[in-house]
Amino acid sequence: GKYRDKQTESCQARLFIFGEDVYMTRKYYIDNLRWLAILMLFPFHTAQIWNGGEYSGFYIWSHTNDFMYAFSTFVYPWYMTLLFAISGMSLKFALQKRTPKQIIVERVNKLMIPFVFGVLVLVPIMTYVAEIFFNGYTGTYLNQYILFFTKQTDLTGYSGGFTPAHLWFLLYLFVISLIALLLVYIQKRKFPSLSFSKMPYMAIILLFIPEWLMQYILNIGGKSIGQYLFLFIVGYYILADDKVLEKLKKYRFISLSLWLLSGGVYTYLYCFGEMRNELGTGLYVFFGWMGILALLGIGQTILNFTNKFSQYMSKASFPIYILHLSILVVVGYFVLKLQLNIASQFIIIVIASFGITVLLYEVVRRIPYLRTAVGIARQTK
């Protein structure tokens, strides 16, 4: 059964696992951190329009603005790493209720089907806009669709051509989930009593070092399978441990201070000091790791709640992630034509793309086959 404490809004579920009754407290702050991180993608991707340089920053580009450049530089090191760490934590909780086979089937439905659908249907919309914006393309969408699969590309798609775009996250998460399930299976057989509950806070901080080393493993276009696998495994074995979480809560202000301090230094040196060396990479990883620790610590105190909006966003955030970027690029293309200042353009793009994405989600979730295509779980009675 489920029992709700009206004061703390926490949910306890009684499960029968390995012959014992186990009471689990729903960690709402993890759900809330996930959808908040996904919402962050709207301002982050909008800022990309004024970040980097032509052909190298985004599917459309105006010019480099220092504030937008600094903002996107500050956000990038931690928001995707947070999602992989949370995904590892979620696997730990999922295995307490479902079998590995059920989880694999779930991952196929939620990750691989949307990945294929997105690459075939959603991503070519963005590269079509990029072809028009940067290359003066005047051909039909059908011809561009053929060009999408035949043009030589660097896999970013910023100047047209094939790219998985933001859907790389789905592919990585699927592969990493399979690897993690295998590792967990081996661990349960060989080291059934493995525990990291006694790991001190300083040792948790120092985990950024192996993450730093893992970043060089299967690094494709700056996105490392090794790094994200490490974060996923750490999420499963360490960050999901209640005693570790208590330490993160206890030292949350230290984590927050280190996060903001390292983030400020990294952002300044990267954007204005042109720091592109090994020390910069280490600072980048440390900054991202401290962001995870700070958000998990603070999240336990201010985000451990549930209401109608948070419940809605928890369900909608994943389809919103899949749908949002194509809409944002199209909206941005037309808004850049308006004679407005950067702040006005930024606000219009964020609000309009979010609103249209939510409306599209509301339509899609009511259509059976499209529900499956964007990873919405089948409704059960």
Side-chain angles (χ1 to χ4, degrees):
K2 294 184 178 179
Y3 307 90
R4 180 165 297 171
D5 183 325
K6 294 182 180 179
Q7 293 180 343
T8 63
E9 293 291 344
S10 64
C11 176
Q12 287 187 326
R14 186 184 183 191
L15 303 175
F16 193 70
I17 303 173
F18 302 126
E20 296 182 359
D21 284 325
V22 178
Y23 285 89
M24 294 176 57
T25 300
R26 179 75 177 183
K27 294 177 172 59
Y28 287 114
Y29 64 91
I30 294 178
D31 298 328
N32 293 332
L33 281 172
R34 182 185 289 110
W35 65 259
L36 284 170
I38 288 176
L39 285 190
M40 177 62 71
L41 291 173
F42 285 94
F44 172 79
H45 280 140
T46 301
Q48 293 291 93
I49 297 172
W50 293 274
N51 182 30
E54 188 174 6
Y55 295 107
S56 64
F58 202 53
Y59 303 93
I60 51 177
W61 183 75
S62 176
H63 62 278
T64 299
N65 174 270
D66 287 345
F67 178 81
M68 295 296 182
Y69 188 25
F71 169 74
S72 58
T73 300
F74 184 87
V75 171
Y76 182 76
W78 55 265
Y79 81 92
M80 289 305 297
T81 55
L82 174 68
L83 289 175
F84 277 102
I86 288 177
S87 296
M89 297 172 69
S90 298
L91 179 65
K92 181 69 169 286
F93 306 138
L95 282 173
Q96 295 174 333
K97 296 181 290 184
R98 295 188 287 278
T99 66
K101 182 178 179 181
Q102 289 173 323
I103 290 175
I104 292 173
V105 172
E106 178 188 79
R107 293 296 191 267
V108 170
N109 291 332
K110 192 171 183 178
L111 298 175
M112 289 312 297
I113 292 177
F115 174 77
V116 173
F117 170 79
V119 169
L120 294 178
V121 177
L122 300 175
V123 176
I125 296 172
M126 296 183 284
T127 59
Y128 178 56
V129 173
E131 289 282 5
I132 294 173
F133 191 88
F134 290 118
N135 304 328
Y137 180 77
T138 58
T140 66
Y141 182 79
L142 178 59
N143 286 337
Q144 188 275 154
Y145 192 79
I146 297 172
L147 192 64
F148 176 75
F149 292 102
T150 57
K151 180 179 179 179
Q152 186 175 0
T153 176
D154 60 359
L155 293 181
T156 66
Y158 294 155
S159 59
F162 180 81
T163 175
H166 60 303
L167 302 179
W168 68 268
F169 173 66
L170 308 187
L171 181 60
Y172 272 42
L173 189 55
F174 179 75
V175 172
I176 287 171
S177 296
L178 295 184
I179 297 173
L181 284 171
L182 176 60
L183 294 176
V184 170
Y185 173 79
I186 295 172
Q187 173 264 310
K188 287 185 178 297
R189 284 182 168 271
K190 302 294 184 181
F191 310 99
S193 60
L194 182 66
S195 173
F196 294 90
S197 297
K198 297 181 179 180
M199 177 176 283
Y201 175 69
M202 183 55 66
I204 296 172
I205 290 180
L206 293 177
L207 286 173
F208 88 92
I209 296 175
E211 181 193 348
W212 182 1
L213 298 175
M214 291 290 288
Q215 190 185 38
Y216 299 100
I217 298 176
L218 296 177
N219 193 313
I220 304 170
K223 299 173 176 63
S224 167
I225 292 178
Q227 178 189 17
Y228 295 132
L229 173 62
F230 177 81
L231 289 166
F232 191 98
I233 295 299
V234 167
Y236 180 93
Y237 283 107
I238 300 176
L239 299 181
D241 188 291
D242 286 336
K243 291 184 179 179
V244 170
L245 287 170
E246 279 297 320
K247 293 169 188 173
L248 297 185
K249 181 179 179 181
K250 179 180 179 180
Y251 297 109
R252 62 190 182 278
F253 293 116
I254 295 177
S255 298
L256 178 62
S257 299
L258 290 173
W259 178 35
L260 296 179
L261 178 61
S262 61
V265 173
Y266 169 76
T267 301
Y268 177 80
L269 292 177
Y270 186 89
C271 294
F272 310 112
E274 297 296 325
M275 182 178 63
R276 304 292 190 273
N277 53 34
E278 197 60 38
L279 180 61
T281 301
L283 183 57
Y284 162 85
V285 174
F286 178 78
F287 168 44
W289 178 240
M290 292 312 304
I292 295 172
L293 301 187
L295 290 169
L296 287 175
I298 295 171
Q300 294 178 69
T301 61
I302 66 174
L303 293 177
N304 199 31
F305 64 85
T306 182
N307 53 41
K308 290 184 178 179
F309 181 75
S310 67
Q311 291 169 13
Y312 176 86
M313 288 306 305
S314 293
K315 293 179 181 179
S317 60
F318 189 75
I320 284 175
Y321 175 84
I322 295 169
L323 296 169
H324 86 282
L325 194 54
S326 298
I327 294 169
L328 191 150
V329 169
V330 173
V331 170
Y333 174 78
F334 288 104
V335 171
L336 284 185
K337 295 178 180 292
L338 303 177
Q339 298 300 315
L340 299 171
N341 58 44
I342 293 177
S344 298
Q345 290 178 328
F346 178 87
I347 293 171
I348 291 172
I349 294 170
V350 170
I351 294 176
S353 59
F354 174 71
I356 295 171
T357 302
V358 171
L359 289 175
L360 183 58
Y361 161 73
E362 285 297 322
V363 173
V364 167
R365 76 184 185 92
R366 290 169 168 79
I367 303 174
Y369 290 108
L370 287 181
R371 284 173 56 87
T372 302
V374 297
I376 301 176
R378 183 181 302 174
Q379 289 179 327
T380 57
K381 295 183 179 179

